[in-house]
Amino acid sequence: MMNILSGDRPKSVILSVLLAVILLALAFAPFLFPGSRSLETAARICIFIVLVASYDLLLGYGGIVSFAHTMFFGMGAYGVAIAIDRLGTGYGAMGLGALVGMVVAGIVALLIALLSLRVRAIFFAMITLAIASAVAVLVSQLSQFTGGEDGMNIRIPRELTPAFRLGEVFGTRVNGKVLNYYLVFTGCLVLFLVMLRLVNSPFGRVLQAIRENAFRAEAIGYRVVFYRAMATCLSAMIAALAGSLFAIWLRYVGPSTTLGMEIMLDILLMVVIGGMGTMYGAVVGTAIFVLAQNYLKELMGGLSEATSALPVIPDLLSPDRWLLWLGVLFILSVYFFPTGIVGRLRGTR
Amino acid sequence: MPQPSLVTRDLTVRFGGHVAVDRVSCAFTPGELTAIVGPNGAGKTTYFNLISGQIRATSGRVELMGRDITGLAPSARTEAGLGRAFQLTNLFPRLTVLENVRLVVQARERRGFNLWSMAMGHRDLIAEAEAVLERVRLTHLADQTVSALSHGDQRKLEVAAMIALKPKVFMFDEPTAGMSVEEAPVILDLIAMIKADPEATVLLVEHKMDVIRSLADRIIVLHNGALVADGKPAEVMASEVVQEAYLGKELTDV
Ligand SMILES: Nc1ncnc2c1ncn2[C@@H]1O[C@H](COP(=O)(O)OP(=O)(O)OP(=O)(O)O)[C@@H](O)[C@H]1O
Ligand SMILES: [Mg+2]
């Protein structure tokens, strides 16, 4: 067990329970929460855990601010979409698309890193912003390739679609969508464990050292530029793989689902809510954020009705104000848990 | 006479119009502890920065074990055998004492690019870090975060890191700065211990004359960035040049 977790104990009972609940809920989501909407939410949580964790590998461990993370996410998604579009439906095309997306993401990340990290970390943030914007424009312009603003529908193998029926298990109809979910779940679990491994390796320790004091890390013999470049590269490749899974899951890819700045902001929020510099923070932050995003509206609608006899309160709780409350939740969480929920649970300052 | 381990040739750096280090040529040999003295702002720290690579020289060269290292990054110079302790405490404040030393051992053993093994699995690195902490009597603080340590213990840890690095050339920049009278001797004992190794070259920037008297085999004096005296401690301390430099008078015939 400790080996699977790379010796990274949650170090808090509450956190361990929380993580176990999230893991079990995701592992049995199709049976525990039947219905396409909840499965949609569960898949999104899986994928965003990987995306957020891979971003935290950069920000929380390496101390590098990047705005291009969704671009790498998009590269994986478009890789699958374009490969299937050109080569026809099939697992081979799907795998090839994911592989090419990952490699391209890795190379682009390496180039950006080597060009800009030498100079200064802040320069890196600006470069990534510029490149991500440029790529977003490019994607919407090259419509014969990428489908432009409309995006592309992806014809994935039939076994992964709802049309493929398998029968019933525990009273739940198992179809291709459930298989697809388990592809996503397994892929994300493996990627997460890989990242857990990375951050607890000697390499991960160097990243933490660089975040703490890059000047010192360099002085004791670590070539900071190379370590940062490596972290950027790995983080981009993992984000791309998450993107591939997302495209397969949605059977669609478009600028709004992968490349948008709103997604970049969501990622940042999830990292901060969960806690920077810990992989488990990504799990908790993502789960809470995605759930809030998907169910806060309903919850408020319910509360608003339940309090309809009272003055003012039903108005405040009106479902239209869910975004406001999400903002309030965010501010409160940053105020009370400046080191994120996981940082708080682990008792670090 | 052993071969010099570290040589600077006409080493110079200019900040705008101000020449902070001015054509300093000097050779340092193993088994020798050289004290570098000079008034505040003389360029001692800047000279160190040029040697260890934090600042790039305007002109001149630095050679380590006969190899030109002038163009190398600080990390590459460290790999080549240079060890630097800083005037202002410079550690990983939120990591533990043990991790601070372990990272140094890991760097020296070049295991940083190990992506797939567990850091905790490299028992030998941990054991060595623990042994170093034992030597500097910090074992009882091993699991504390550095920021929780007293200033004196932090300075001790910095010396511990140097011991863990096992460089060929040790550079200490006022290692006892800001320490109490009771704490300072511990650091000095550690430096004396390092100096006892005939292979070690030690450079020590220090203001306290009694420290210099007890440790130094040789003194060089920097003034306005230039090397103005170099010799046995007794000679240099008695010389007029030094007296004047420390009194802050104009240097006339140098
Ligand atoms: N990066 C820099 N840019 C501009 N000027 C600098 C820089 N670093 C040092 N200096 C200047 O160079 C001169 C030498 O400074 P340095 O810190 O080397 O002196 P020092 O001998 O170590 O003094 P102290 O005994 O106070 O530590 C000073 O005038 C300082 O202001
Ligand atoms: Mg100084």
Side-chain angles (χ1 to χ4, degrees):
Chain A
M1 177 73 177
M2 262 9 268
N3 225 349
I4 297 175
L5 295 184
S6 307
D8 197 340
R9 277 162 237 268
K11 283 187 220 140
S12 142
V13 181
I14 305 174
L15 180 58
S16 308
V17 172
L18 205 56
L19 290 171
V21 168
I22 294 172
L23 176 67
L24 291 175
L26 291 175
F28 300 105
F31 308 103
L32 293 173
F33 319 103
S36 68
R37 169 123 188 262
S38 44
L39 201 59
E40 209 63 51
T41 308
R44 188 175 277 267
I45 291 177
C46 291
I47 288 161
F48 273 79
I49 284 175
V50 173
L51 187 60
V52 169
S54 64
Y55 189 70
D56 195 36
L57 193 63
L58 267 195
L59 181 68
Y61 285 85
I64 305 168
V65 178
S66 161
F67 293 105
H69 211 57
T70 48
M71 174 179 85
F72 299 125
F73 187 54
M75 283 177 176
Y78 276 98
V80 169
I82 293 172
I84 288 183
D85 188 43
R86 304 275 138 166
L87 304 173
T89 302
Y91 293 102
M94 225 164 74
L96 184 70
L99 189 72
V100 170
M102 181 185 85
V103 170
V104 170
I107 292 172
V108 172
L110 192 66
L111 288 180
I112 298 179
L114 290 180
L115 283 179
S116 58
L117 284 175
R118 266 173 190 287
V119 190
R120 214 175 249 173
I122 184 71
F123 194 56
F124 182 82
M126 297 191 288
I127 292 270
T128 55
L129 190 59
I131 291 183
S133 315
V135 166
V137 170
L138 209 63
V139 165
S140 64
Q141 295 295 312
L142 291 173
S143 47
Q144 67 277 41
F145 241 117
T146 61
E149 287 294 334
D150 297 334
M152 305 163 84
N153 287 312
I154 306 169
R155 299 177 54 84
I156 58 171
R158 188 167 168 276
E159 295 79 26
L160 298 175
T161 64
F164 183 70
R165 302 237 149 89
L166 271 168
E168 281 196 11
V169 181
F170 305 127
T172 307
R173 231 186 271 129
V174 175
N175 58 20
K177 195 78 186 169
V178 173
L179 291 186
N180 196 339
Y181 175 76
Y182 279 107
L183 172 71
V184 167
F185 175 79
T186 314
C188 290
L189 187 62
V190 169
L191 287 175
F192 183 78
L193 292 176
V194 165
M195 283 186 277
L196 209 49
R197 186 104 205 180
L198 288 177
V199 300
N200 288 292
S201 69
F203 173 75
R205 296 297 186 88
V206 178
L207 287 188
Q208 279 174 34
I210 290 173
R211 175 196 65 198
E212 284 297 305
N213 186 348
F215 178 87
R216 169 93 185 157
E218 177 78 35
I220 63 177
Y222 294 113
R223 192 68 196 267
V224 170
V225 188
F226 290 169
Y227 284 90
R228 282 193 164 146
M230 186 66 144
T232 313
C233 225
L234 289 168
S235 154
M237 293 197 299
I238 293 169
L241 289 175
S244 298
L245 288 170
F246 200 41
I248 294 167
W249 172 254
L250 291 178
R251 289 182 282 154
Y252 166 80
V253 62
S256 59
T257 56
T258 52
L259 297 172
M261 260 304 142
E262 300 91 79
I263 302 178
M264 196 60 243
L265 279 180
D266 288 352
I267 296 174
L268 273 168
L269 294 182
M270 289 184 250
V271 168
V272 173
I273 290 173
M276 279 196 272
T278 127
M279 285 288 124
Y280 296 128
V283 177
V284 177
T286 306
I288 291 178
F289 188 86
V290 175
L291 284 176
Q293 227 179 10
N294 281 277
Y295 294 107
L296 196 59
K297 229 167 160 172
E298 263 99 296
L299 180 70
M300 286 174 50
L303 285 176
S304 175
E305 262 171 44
T307 55
S308 57
L310 303 169
V312 190
I313 294 178
D315 248 2
L316 272 178
L317 292 175
S318 147
D320 297 341
R321 300 202 203 288
W322 77 279
L323 208 59
L324 172 80
W325 284 103
L326 195 63
V328 170
L329 269 184
F330 176 66
I331 291 168
L332 287 180
S333 84
V334 171
Y335 186 78
F336 287 108
F337 311 122
T339 53
I341 295 171
V342 168
R344 181 57 177 256
L345 289 175
R346 276 182 161 179
T348 49
R349 271 143 298 137
Chain B
M1 188 73 184
Q3 283 296 308
S5 47
L6 176 72
V7 179
T8 68
R9 295 186 200 280
D10 288 324
L11 199 58
T12 304
V13 71
R14 219 170 267 126
F15 298 119
H18 176 64
V19 186
V21 172
D22 191 4
R23 283 165 293 154
V24 176
S25 297
C26 198
F28 305 91
T29 42
E32 187 181 57
L33 188 148
T34 307
I36 298 168
V37 302
N40 291 116
K44 306 179 294 294
T45 298
T46 308
Y47 184 50
F48 267 20
N49 282 337
L50 291 174
I51 294 172
S52 55
Q54 275 78 23
I55 292 178
R56 286 295 160 91
T58 310
S59 61
R61 0 186 316 135
V62 183
E63 287 161 24
L64 186 68
M65 320 305 289
R67 174 179 164 214
D68 185 357
I69 59 165
T70 320
L72 298 184
S75 53
R77 300 186 195 207
T78 305
E79 276 194 2
L82 214 56
R84 167 89 192 266
F86 293 85
Q87 180 170 4
L88 299 173
T89 306
N90 178 43
L91 295 158
F92 302 114
R94 289 188 302 174
L95 304 182
T96 65
V97 169
L98 180 64
E99 180 64 4
N100 264 270
V101 180
R102 201 200 62 83
L103 278 165
V104 173
V105 183
Q106 178 180 292
R108 197 199 68 211
E109 292 291 319
R110 300 190 184 18
R111 297 216 201 138
F113 262 113
N114 236 300
L115 297 160
W116 202 245
S117 58
M118 279 186 231
M120 296 309 290
H122 293 249
R123 301 297 318 173
D124 54 330
L125 302 185
I126 300 171
E128 189 177 339
E130 284 169 345
V132 170
L133 288 182
E134 187 74 51
R135 267 173 86 182
V136 301
R137 312 233 173 284
L138 282 177
T139 305
H140 60 295
L141 296 173
D143 295 327
Q144 298 267 340
T145 47
V146 166
S147 54
L149 260 54
S150 70
H151 175 74
D153 284 334
Q154 293 193 5
R155 304 248 50 164
K156 231 159 115 182
L157 181 55
E158 201 145 11
V159 177
M162 291 279 277
I163 293 172
L165 193 58
K166 294 189 185 160
K168 297 191 172 76
V169 177
F170 292 77
M171 303 166 72
F172 293 101
D173 197 349
E174 299 193 36
T176 63
M179 285 179 97
S180 66
V181 190
E182 302 88 64
E183 285 173 319
V186 185
I187 299 281
L188 299 177
D189 286 348
L190 288 172
I191 294 175
M193 183 188 80
I194 289 168
K195 179 196 146 157
D197 175 1
E199 304 273 290
T201 308
V202 186
L203 277 60
L204 171 69
V205 172
E206 190 50 81
H207 281 297
K208 300 179 185 114
M209 280 303 159
D210 53 327
V211 172
I212 296 169
R213 216 170 275 123
S214 71
L215 284 174
D217 303 308
R218 170 188 174 196
I219 296 181
I220 64 175
V221 184
L222 288 184
H223 187 59
N224 290 335
L227 197 149
V228 293
D230 179 351
K232 291 251 173 288
E235 301 163 18
V236 172
M237 278 195 212
S239 78
E240 243 171 80
V241 179
V242 174
Q243 303 291 340
E244 286 180 38
Y246 267 91
L247 290 173
K249 281 189 208 155
E250 273 307 307
L251 281 172
T252 42
D253 41 332
V254 182

